[in-house]
PDB file of all heavy atoms in Angstrom:
ATOM      1  N   VAL A   1    -106.813  65.803 102.053  1.00 98.00           N
ATOM      2  CA  VAL A   1    -106.991  67.123 101.411  1.00 98.00           C
ATOM      3  C   VAL A   1    -108.272  67.097 100.587  1.00 98.00           C
ATOM      4  O   VAL A   1    -108.330  66.447  99.548  1.00 98.00           O
ATOM      5  CB  VAL A   1    -105.768  67.465 100.535  1.00 98.00           C
ATOM      6  CG1 VAL A   1    -105.950  68.843  99.918  1.00 98.00           C
ATOM      7  CG2 VAL A   1    -104.478  67.426 101.373  1.00 98.00           C
ATOM      8  N   GLU A   2    -109.273  67.783 101.091  1.00 98.00           N
ATOM      9  CA  GLU A   2    -110.576  67.791 100.398  1.00 98.00           C
ATOM     10  C   GLU A   2    -110.447  68.428  99.012  1.00 98.00           C
ATOM     11  O   GLU A   2    -109.919  69.532  98.864  1.00 98.00           O
ATOM     12  CB  GLU A   2    -111.612  68.558 101.221  1.00 98.00           C
ATOM     13  CG  GLU A   2    -111.981  67.895 102.543  1.00 98.00           C
ATOM     14  CD  GLU A   2    -112.676  66.540 102.328  1.00 98.00           C
ATOM     15  OE1 GLU A   2    -113.404  66.397 101.316  1.00 98.00           O
ATOM     16  OE2 GLU A   2    -112.483  65.632 103.189  1.00 98.00           O
ATOM     17  N   GLY A   3    -110.891  67.677  97.995  1.00 98.00           N
ATOM     18  CA  GLY A   3    -110.844  68.200  96.631  1.00 98.00           C
ATOM     19  C   GLY A   3    -109.498  68.036  95.950  1.00 98.00           C
ATOM     20  O   GLY A   3    -109.315  68.483  94.816  1.00 98.00           O
ATOM     21  N   GLY A   4    -108.539  67.398  96.610  1.00 98.00           N
ATOM     22  CA  GLY A   4    -107.236  67.179  95.997  1.00 98.00           C
ATOM     23  C   GLY A   4    -107.251  65.997  95.058  1.00 98.00           C
ATOM     24  O   GLY A   4    -107.920  64.973  95.314  1.00 98.00           O
ATOM     25  N   ASN A   5    -106.536  66.094  93.934  1.00 98.00           N
ATOM     26  CA  ASN A   5    -106.422  65.023  92.950  1.00 98.00           C
ATOM     27  C   ASN A   5    -104.976  64.578  92.863  1.00 98.00           C
ATOM     28  O   ASN A   5    -104.073  65.201  93.437  1.00 98.00           O
ATOM     29  CB  ASN A   5    -106.934  65.503  91.575  1.00 98.00           C
ATOM     30  CG  ASN A   5    -106.865  64.424  90.527  1.00 98.00           C
ATOM     31  OD1 ASN A   5    -107.335  63.333  90.728  1.00 98.00           O
ATOM     32  ND2 ASN A   5    -106.269  64.737  89.389  1.00 98.00           N
ATOM     33  N   HIS A   6    -104.734  63.517  92.117  1.00 98.00           N
ATOM     34  CA  HIS A   6    -103.362  63.017  91.992  1.00 98.00           C
ATOM     35  C   HIS A   6    -102.481  63.970  91.211  1.00 98.00           C
ATOM     36  O   HIS A   6    -101.271  64.064  91.447  1.00 98.00           O
ATOM     37  CB  HIS A   6    -103.375  61.649  91.329  1.00 98.00           C
ATOM     38  CG  HIS A   6    -102.174  60.827  91.611  1.00 98.00           C
ATOM     39  ND1 HIS A   6    -101.977  60.185  92.824  1.00 98.00           N
ATOM     40  CD2 HIS A   6    -101.077  60.505  90.864  1.00 98.00           C
ATOM     41  CE1 HIS A   6    -100.832  59.522  92.799  1.00 98.00           C
ATOM     42  NE2 HIS A   6    -100.261  59.710  91.624  1.00 98.00           N
ATOM     43  N   LEU A   7    -103.067  64.701  90.237  1.00 95.00           N
ATOM     44  CA  LEU A   7    -102.306  65.597  89.373  1.00 95.00           C
ATOM     45  C   LEU A   7    -102.782  67.026  89.573  1.00 95.00           C
ATOM     46  O   LEU A   7    -103.912  67.363  89.265  1.00 95.00           O
ATOM     47  CB  LEU A   7    -102.480  65.212  87.913  1.00 95.00           C
ATOM     48  CG  LEU A   7    -102.010  63.812  87.505  1.00 95.00           C
ATOM     49  CD1 LEU A   7    -102.490  63.495  86.088  1.00 95.00           C
ATOM     50  CD2 LEU A   7    -100.504  63.715  87.597  1.00 95.00           C
ATOM     51  N   ASP A   8    -101.896  67.900  90.046  1.00 98.00           N
ATOM     52  CA  ASP A   8    -102.246  69.300  90.217  1.00 98.00           C
ATOM     53  C   ASP A   8    -102.538  70.011  88.906  1.00 98.00           C
ATOM     54  O   ASP A   8    -103.217  71.048  88.884  1.00 98.00           O
ATOM     55  CB  ASP A   8    -101.153  70.044  90.992  1.00 98.00           C
ATOM     56  CG  ASP A   8    -101.393  70.078  92.478  1.00 98.00           C
ATOM     57  OD1 ASP A   8    -102.335  69.396  92.959  1.00 98.00           O
ATOM     58  OD2 ASP A   8    -100.642  70.792  93.191  1.00 98.00           O
ATOM     59  N   SER A   9    -102.028  69.486  87.810  1.00 97.00           N
ATOM     60  CA  SER A   9    -102.274  70.136  86.517  1.00 97.00           C
ATOM     61  C   SER A   9    -103.758  70.130  86.177  1.00 97.00           C
ATOM     62  O   SER A   9    -104.235  71.021  85.428  1.00 97.00           O
ATOM     63  CB  SER A   9    -101.487  69.454  85.399  1.00 97.00           C
ATOM     64  OG  SER A   9    -101.800  68.072  85.333  1.00 97.00           O
ATOM     65  N   LEU A  10    -104.520  69.206  86.700  1.00 98.00           N
ATOM     66  CA  LEU A  10    -105.955  69.147  86.417  1.00 98.00           C
ATOM     67  C   LEU A  10    -106.728  70.240  87.138  1.00 98.00           C
ATOM     68  O   LEU A  10    -107.895  70.489  86.809  1.00 98.00           O
ATOM     69  CB  LEU A  10    -106.513  67.775  86.754  1.00 98.00           C
ATOM     70  CG  LEU A  10    -106.070  66.645  85.828  1.00 98.00           C
ATOM     71  CD1 LEU A  10    -106.699  65.325  86.239  1.00 98.00           C
ATOM     72  CD2 LEU A  10    -106.413  66.948  84.373  1.00 98.00           C
ATOM     73  N   VAL A  11    -106.080  70.900  88.101  1.00 98.00           N
ATOM     74  CA  VAL A  11    -106.729  72.054  88.742  1.00 98.00           C
ATOM     75  C   VAL A  11    -106.984  73.145  87.718  1.00 98.00           C
ATOM     76  O   VAL A  11    -107.975  73.879  87.798  1.00 98.00           O
ATOM     77  CB  VAL A  11    -105.857  72.576  89.901  1.00 98.00           C
ATOM     78  CG1 VAL A  11    -106.462  73.860  90.507  1.00 98.00           C
ATOM     79  CG2 VAL A  11    -105.717  71.529  90.989  1.00 98.00           C
ATOM     80  N   ASP A  12    -106.120  73.259  86.730  1.00 98.00           N
ATOM     81  CA  ASP A  12    -106.285  74.282  85.704  1.00 98.00           C
ATOM     82  C   ASP A  12    -107.497  73.985  84.814  1.00 98.00           C
ATOM     83  O   ASP A  12    -108.111  74.893  84.277  1.00 98.00           O
ATOM     84  CB  ASP A  12    -105.026  74.346  84.822  1.00 98.00           C
ATOM     85  CG  ASP A  12    -103.773  74.650  85.607  1.00 98.00           C
ATOM     86  OD1 ASP A  12    -103.868  75.339  86.631  1.00 98.00           O
ATOM     87  OD2 ASP A  12    -102.706  74.146  85.225  1.00 98.00           O
ATOM     88  N   VAL A  13    -107.848  72.721  84.698  1.00 97.00           N
ATOM     89  CA  VAL A  13    -108.990  72.323  83.878  1.00 97.00           C
ATOM     90  C   VAL A  13    -110.287  72.424  84.687  1.00 97.00           C
ATOM     91  O   VAL A  13    -111.327  72.755  84.120  1.00 97.00           O
ATOM     92  CB  VAL A  13    -108.793  70.881  83.358  1.00 97.00           C
ATOM     93  CG1 VAL A  13    -109.941  70.464  82.446  1.00 97.00           C
ATOM     94  CG2 VAL A  13    -107.454  70.747  82.651  1.00 97.00           C
ATOM     95  N   HIS A  14    -110.187  72.152  85.989  1.00 98.00           N
ATOM     96  CA  HIS A  14    -111.377  72.143  86.849  1.00 98.00           C
ATOM     97  C   HIS A  14    -111.136  73.024  88.088  1.00 98.00           C
ATOM     98  O   HIS A  14    -111.156  72.537  89.232  1.00 98.00           O
ATOM     99  CB  HIS A  14    -111.701  70.724  87.291  1.00 98.00           C
ATOM    100  CG  HIS A  14    -111.883  69.754  86.154  1.00 98.00           C
ATOM    101  ND1 HIS A  14    -113.017  69.734  85.370  1.00 98.00           N
ATOM    102  CD2 HIS A  14    -111.080  68.766  85.696  1.00 98.00           C
ATOM    103  CE1 HIS A  14    -112.908  68.780  84.475  1.00 98.00           C
ATOM    104  NE2 HIS A  14    -111.739  68.185  84.619  1.00 98.00           N
ATOM    105  N   PRO A  15    -110.903  74.322  87.905  1.00 97.00           N
ATOM    106  CA  PRO A  15    -110.543  75.164  89.043  1.00 97.00           C
ATOM    107  C   PRO A  15    -111.664  75.315  90.080  1.00 97.00           C
ATOM    108  O   PRO A  15    -111.381  75.602  91.250  1.00 97.00           O
ATOM    109  CB  PRO A  15    -110.237  76.529  88.379  1.00 97.00           C
ATOM    110  CG  PRO A  15    -111.004  76.494  87.107  1.00 97.00           C
ATOM    111  CD  PRO A  15    -110.954  75.073  86.647  1.00 97.00           C
ATOM    112  N   ASP A  16    -112.895  75.060  89.678  1.00 97.00           N
ATOM    113  CA  ASP A  16    -114.025  75.177  90.616  1.00 97.00           C
ATOM    114  C   ASP A  16    -114.299  73.869  91.334  1.00 97.00           C
ATOM    115  O   ASP A  16    -115.136  73.834  92.253  1.00 97.00           O
ATOM    116  CB  ASP A  16    -115.277  75.635  89.865  1.00 97.00           C
ATOM    117  CG  ASP A  16    -115.641  74.694  88.712  1.00 97.00           C
ATOM    118  OD1 ASP A  16    -114.727  74.004  88.200  1.00 97.00           O
ATOM    119  OD2 ASP A  16    -116.820  74.676  88.319  1.00 97.00           O
ATOM    120  N   ARG A  17    -113.614  72.803  90.973  1.00 98.00           N
ATOM    121  CA  ARG A  17    -113.889  71.499  91.564  1.00 98.00           C
ATOM    122  C   ARG A  17    -112.707  70.886  92.296  1.00 98.00           C
ATOM    123  O   ARG A  17    -112.886  70.016  93.140  1.00 98.00           O
ATOM    124  CB  ARG A  17    -114.356  70.514  90.483  1.00 98.00           C
ATOM    125  CG  ARG A  17    -115.722  70.832  89.914  1.00 98.00           C
ATOM    126  CD  ARG A  17    -116.061  69.820  88.825  1.00 98.00           C
ATOM    127  NE  ARG A  17    -117.484  69.791  88.532  1.00 98.00           N
ATOM    128  CZ  ARG A  17    -118.066  68.940  87.690  1.00 98.00           C
ATOM    129  NH1 ARG A  17    -117.328  68.016  87.088  1.00 98.00           N
ATOM    130  NH2 ARG A  17    -119.342  68.985  87.477  1.00 98.00           N
ATOM    131  N   LEU A  18    -111.497  71.295  91.924  1.00 98.00           N
ATOM    132  CA  LEU A  18    -110.297  70.685  92.485  1.00 98.00           C
ATOM    133  C   LEU A  18    -109.467  71.684  93.280  1.00 98.00           C
ATOM    134  O   LEU A  18    -109.446  72.881  92.965  1.00 98.00           O
ATOM    135  CB  LEU A  18    -109.413  70.083  91.364  1.00 98.00           C
ATOM    136  CG  LEU A  18    -110.022  68.905  90.600  1.00 98.00           C
ATOM    137  CD1 LEU A  18    -109.057  68.464  89.488  1.00 98.00           C
ATOM    138  CD2 LEU A  18    -110.314  67.728  91.547  1.00 98.00           C
ATOM    139  N   LYS A  19    -108.754  71.161  94.260  1.00 98.00           N
ATOM    140  CA  LYS A  19    -107.874  71.974  95.101  1.00 98.00           C
ATOM    141  C   LYS A  19    -106.426  71.504  94.863  1.00 98.00           C
ATOM    142  O   LYS A  19    -106.178  70.290  94.904  1.00 98.00           O
ATOM    143  CB  LYS A  19    -108.243  71.801  96.581  1.00 98.00           C
ATOM    144  CG  LYS A  19    -107.387  72.586  97.531  1.00 98.00           C
ATOM    145  CD  LYS A  19    -107.855  72.365  98.960  1.00 98.00           C
ATOM    146  CE  LYS A  19    -107.000  73.148  99.964  1.00 98.00           C
ATOM    147  NZ  LYS A  19    -107.473  72.935 101.378  1.00 98.00           N
ATOM    148  N   PRO A  20    -105.492  72.420  94.634  1.00 98.00           N
ATOM    149  CA  PRO A  20    -104.099  71.976  94.415  1.00 98.00           C
ATOM    150  C   PRO A  20    -103.500  71.349  95.672  1.00 98.00           C
ATOM    151  O   PRO A  20    -103.761  71.799  96.800  1.00 98.00           O
ATOM    152  CB  PRO A  20    -103.380  73.269  94.015  1.00 98.00           C
ATOM    153  CG  PRO A  20    -104.207  74.361  94.592  1.00 98.00           C
ATOM    154  CD  PRO A  20    -105.633  73.882  94.554  1.00 98.00           C
ATOM    155  N   MET A  21    -102.704  70.337  95.467  1.00 98.00           N
ATOM    156  CA  MET A  21    -102.054  69.634  96.577  1.00 98.00           C
ATOM    157  C   MET A  21    -100.752  70.305  97.011  1.00 98.00           C
ATOM    158  O   MET A  21    -100.324  70.139  98.152  1.00 98.00           O
ATOM    159  CB  MET A  21    -101.761  68.193  96.160  1.00 98.00           C
ATOM    160  CG  MET A  21    -102.974  67.334  95.897  1.00 98.00           C
ATOM    161  SD  MET A  21    -103.868  66.909  97.406  1.00 98.00           S
ATOM    162  CE  MET A  21    -102.653  65.847  98.215  1.00 98.00           C
ATOM    163  N   LEU A  22    -100.098  71.031  96.097  1.00 98.00           N
ATOM    164  CA  LEU A  22     -98.775  71.587  96.400  1.00 98.00           C
ATOM    165  C   LEU A  22     -98.796  72.478  97.633  1.00 98.00           C
ATOM    166  O   LEU A  22     -97.886  72.363  98.490  1.00 98.00           O
ATOM    167  CB  LEU A  22     -98.213  72.334  95.205  1.00 98.00           C
ATOM    168  CG  LEU A  22     -96.794  72.895  95.350  1.00 98.00           C
ATOM    169  CD1 LEU A  22     -95.805  71.821  95.770  1.00 98.00           C
ATOM    170  CD2 LEU A  22     -96.340  73.555  94.050  1.00 98.00           C
ATOM    171  N   PRO A  23     -99.741  73.404  97.810  1.00 98.00           N
ATOM    172  CA  PRO A  23     -99.751  74.183  99.055  1.00 98.00           C
ATOM    173  C   PRO A  23     -99.869  73.319 100.296  1.00 98.00           C
ATOM    174  O   PRO A  23     -99.257  73.636 101.338  1.00 98.00           O
ATOM    175  CB  PRO A  23    -100.965  75.111  98.887  1.00 98.00           C
ATOM    176  CG  PRO A  23    -101.148  75.216  97.418  1.00 98.00           C
ATOM    177  CD  PRO A  23    -100.782  73.868  96.875  1.00 98.00           C
ATOM    178  N   ALA A  24    -100.643  72.247 100.205  1.00 98.00           N
ATOM    179  CA  ALA A  24    -100.771  71.337 101.357  1.00 98.00           C
ATOM    180  C   ALA A  24     -99.451  70.622 101.647  1.00 98.00           C
ATOM    181  O   ALA A  24     -99.106  70.399 102.811  1.00 98.00           O
ATOM    182  CB  ALA A  24    -101.871  70.323 101.088  1.00 98.00           C
ATOM    183  N   PHE A  25     -98.711  70.303 100.571  1.00 98.00           N
ATOM    184  CA  PHE A  25     -97.391  69.679 100.780  1.00 98.00           C
ATOM    185  C   PHE A  25     -96.459  70.658 101.491  1.00 98.00           C
ATOM    186  O   PHE A  25     -95.739  70.290 102.416  1.00 98.00           O
ATOM    187  CB  PHE A  25     -96.780  69.255  99.446  1.00 98.00           C
ATOM    188  CG  PHE A  25     -95.310  68.930  99.536  1.00 98.00           C
ATOM    189  CD1 PHE A  25     -94.919  67.709 100.048  1.00 98.00           C
ATOM    190  CD2 PHE A  25     -94.352  69.845  99.178  1.00 98.00           C
ATOM    191  CE1 PHE A  25     -93.570  67.395 100.177  1.00 98.00           C
ATOM    192  CE2 PHE A  25     -92.992  69.557  99.315  1.00 98.00           C
ATOM    193  CZ  PHE A  25     -92.605  68.326  99.798  1.00 98.00           C
ATOM    194  N   ARG A  26     -96.427  71.896 101.031  1.00 98.00           N
ATOM    195  CA  ARG A  26     -95.538  72.865 101.669  1.00 98.00           C
ATOM    196  C   ARG A  26     -95.890  73.092 103.135  1.00 98.00           C
ATOM    197  O   ARG A  26     -94.994  73.194 103.999  1.00 98.00           O
ATOM    198  CB  ARG A  26     -95.585  74.176 100.871  1.00 98.00           C
ATOM    199  CG  ARG A  26     -94.926  74.027  99.497  1.00 98.00           C
ATOM    200  CD  ARG A  26     -95.079  75.299  98.642  1.00 98.00           C
ATOM    201  NE  ARG A  26     -94.367  75.139  97.363  1.00 98.00           N
ATOM    202  CZ  ARG A  26     -94.370  76.028  96.407  1.00 98.00           C
ATOM    203  NH1 ARG A  26     -95.045  77.176  96.525  1.00 98.00           N
ATOM    204  NH2 ARG A  26     -93.703  75.817  95.263  1.00 98.00           N
ATOM    205  N   ALA A  27     -97.174  73.137 103.419  1.00 98.00           N
ATOM    206  CA  ALA A  27     -97.600  73.289 104.822  1.00 98.00           C
ATOM    207  C   ALA A  27     -97.202  72.067 105.634  1.00 98.00           C
ATOM    208  O   ALA A  27     -96.772  72.192 106.789  1.00 98.00           O
ATOM    209  CB  ALA A  27     -99.106  73.526 104.875  1.00 98.00           C
ATOM    210  N   ALA A  28     -97.339  70.886 105.041  1.00 98.00           N
ATOM    211  CA  ALA A  28     -96.969  69.665 105.748  1.00 98.00           C
ATOM    212  C   ALA A  28     -95.472  69.604 106.012  1.00 98.00           C
ATOM    213  O   ALA A  28     -95.017  69.142 107.076  1.00 98.00           O
ATOM    214  CB  ALA A  28     -97.410  68.442 104.955  1.00 98.00           C
ATOM    215  N   PHE A  29     -94.685  70.069 105.052  1.00 98.00           N
ATOM    216  CA  PHE A  29     -93.222  70.093 105.239  1.00 98.00           C
ATOM    217  C   PHE A  29     -92.853  71.019 106.386  1.00 98.00           C
ATOM    218  O   PHE A  29     -92.018  70.655 107.229  1.00 98.00           O
ATOM    219  CB  PHE A  29     -92.537  70.515 103.951  1.00 98.00           C
ATOM    220  CG  PHE A  29     -91.048  70.336 103.976  1.00 98.00           C
ATOM    221  CD1 PHE A  29     -90.466  69.181 103.472  1.00 98.00           C
ATOM    222  CD2 PHE A  29     -90.213  71.286 104.546  1.00 98.00           C
ATOM    223  CE1 PHE A  29     -89.088  68.999 103.532  1.00 98.00           C
ATOM    224  CE2 PHE A  29     -88.846  71.117 104.592  1.00 98.00           C
ATOM    225  CZ  PHE A  29     -88.268  69.951 104.090  1.00 98.00           C
ATOM    226  N   GLU A  30     -93.454  72.193 106.437  1.00 98.00           N
ATOM    227  CA  GLU A  30     -93.200  73.115 107.552  1.00 98.00           C
ATOM    228  C   GLU A  30     -93.638  72.483 108.871  1.00 98.00           C
ATOM    229  O   GLU A  30     -92.963  72.656 109.911  1.00 98.00           O
ATOM    230  CB  GLU A  30     -93.934  74.440 107.297  1.00 98.00           C
ATOM    231  CG  GLU A  30     -93.443  75.217 106.118  1.00 98.00           C
ATOM    232  CD  GLU A  30     -92.194  76.049 106.404  1.00 98.00           C
ATOM    233  OE1 GLU A  30     -91.315  75.563 107.161  1.00 98.00           O
ATOM    234  OE2 GLU A  30     -92.095  77.158 105.880  1.00 98.00           O
ATOM    235  N   GLU A  31     -94.755  71.785 108.837  1.00 98.00           N
ATOM    236  CA  GLU A  31     -95.216  71.102 110.030  1.00 98.00           C
ATOM    237  C   GLU A  31     -94.215  70.061 110.508  1.00 98.00           C
ATOM    238  O   GLU A  31     -93.942  69.923 111.699  1.00 98.00           O
ATOM    239  CB  GLU A  31     -96.586  70.460 109.755  1.00 98.00           C
ATOM    240  CG  GLU A  31     -97.161  69.697 110.923  1.00 98.00           C
ATOM    241  CD  GLU A  31     -98.465  68.983 110.572  1.00 98.00           C
ATOM    242  OE1 GLU A  31     -99.012  69.253 109.480  1.00 98.00           O
ATOM    243  OE2 GLU A  31     -98.925  68.167 111.397  1.00 98.00           O
ATOM    244  N   LEU A  32     -93.692  69.283 109.549  1.00 98.00           N
ATOM    245  CA  LEU A  32     -92.709  68.265 109.915  1.00 98.00           C
ATOM    246  C   LEU A  32     -91.468  68.891 110.520  1.00 98.00           C
ATOM    247  O   LEU A  32     -90.942  68.425 111.554  1.00 98.00           O
ATOM    248  CB  LEU A  32     -92.318  67.469 108.672  1.00 98.00           C
ATOM    249  CG  LEU A  32     -91.209  66.433 108.871  1.00 98.00           C
ATOM    250  CD1 LEU A  32     -91.681  65.301 109.755  1.00 98.00           C
ATOM    251  CD2 LEU A  32     -90.710  65.889 107.532  1.00 98.00           C
ATOM    252  N   ALA A  33     -90.967  69.993 109.922  1.00 98.00           N
ATOM    253  CA  ALA A  33     -89.778  70.646 110.438  1.00 98.00           C
ATOM    254  C   ALA A  33     -89.994  71.119 111.874  1.00 98.00           C
ATOM    255  O   ALA A  33     -89.119  71.013 112.734  1.00 98.00           O
ATOM    256  CB  ALA A  33     -89.399  71.838 109.536  1.00 98.00           C
ATOM    257  N   GLY A  34     -91.187  71.665 112.161  1.00 97.00           N
ATOM    258  CA  GLY A  34     -91.490  72.087 113.522  1.00 97.00           C
ATOM    259  C   GLY A  34     -91.671  70.926 114.478  1.00 97.00           C
ATOM    260  O   GLY A  34     -91.273  71.004 115.642  1.00 97.00           O
ATOM    261  N   TRP A  35     -92.203  69.835 113.960  1.00 98.00           N
ATOM    262  CA  TRP A  35     -92.468  68.652 114.784  1.00 98.00           C
ATOM    263  C   TRP A  35     -91.174  68.023 115.299  1.00 98.00           C
ATOM    264  O   TRP A  35     -91.073  67.646 116.475  1.00 98.00           O
ATOM    265  CB  TRP A  35     -93.251  67.656 113.933  1.00 98.00           C
ATOM    266  CG  TRP A  35     -93.665  66.356 114.590  1.00 98.00           C
ATOM    267  CD1 TRP A  35     -93.587  66.020 115.919  1.00 98.00           C
ATOM    268  CD2 TRP A  35     -94.250  65.225 113.919  1.00 98.00           C
ATOM    269  NE1 TRP A  35     -94.090  64.770 116.108  1.00 98.00           N
ATOM    270  CE2 TRP A  35     -94.495  64.253 114.916  1.00 98.00           C
ATOM    271  CE3 TRP A  35     -94.564  64.970 112.590  1.00 98.00           C
ATOM    272  CZ2 TRP A  35     -95.050  63.015 114.584  1.00 98.00           C
ATOM    273  CZ3 TRP A  35     -95.108  63.757 112.284  1.00 98.00           C
ATOM    274  CH2 TRP A  35     -95.360  62.774 113.282  1.00 98.00           C
TER     275      TRP A  35
END
């Protein structure tokens, strides 16, 4: 995940530099269910 960090809370501090991981997790979960 480009721009993802270990802590999504830091996205609030650096919104122009970091990408939240939670949406990627939800997409991955849906992908797994379909797989």
